[in-house]
Amino acid sequence: MGAAGLVLCWQLTADWKFDPNLVTEVEVRFIPDGANATRVELEHRNLERFGDRADAVRQLIDAPEGWGGLLQLFKQAAEHSEE
């Protein structure tokens, strides 16, 4: 089986409020990695659309409690479900 994934429209401002006029994309890819493993990759793109707040948003989503932290929680939940 090949890779699978999804792309989501992200319409939250740097203040975490919905804005229908601001659209960035979050892509999540699920890639087979051996017989019993899957690598999950996440890319949040078009951050320049945040304008002068783009660097601040990038720091937030790159922080330990950002997307990487969320993926770690996903990993822990997946490992726990196998027990």
Side-chain angles (χ1 to χ4, degrees), residues 63-83:
E65 62 275 356
W67 287 124
L70 182 67
L71 289 175
Q72 285 299 317
L73 291 172
F74 177 74
K75 177 184 175 190
Q76 291 170 5
E79 290 172 344
H80 181 70
S81 70
E82 293 176 353
E83 296 175 352

Side-chain angles (χ1 to χ4, degrees), residues 4-54:
L6 64 122
V7 178
L8 307 169
C9 289
W10 185 266
Q11 293 180 281
L12 296 179
T13 67
D15 298 315
W16 304 99
K17 296 180 180 167
F18 174 72
D19 181 348
N21 298 312
L22 174 67
V23 179
T24 62
E25 295 176 346
V26 177
E27 181 175 3
V28 182
R29 292 176 295 280
F30 301 91
I31 303 161
D33 191 13
N36 296 313
T38 301
R39 185 174 73 241
V40 180
E41 296 179 351
L42 186 145
E43 178 185 4
H44 193 158
R45 54 183 172 247
N46 302 317
L47 297 180
E48 70 280 356
R49 295 178 183 171
F50 286 102
D52 61 352
R53 307 267 322 264

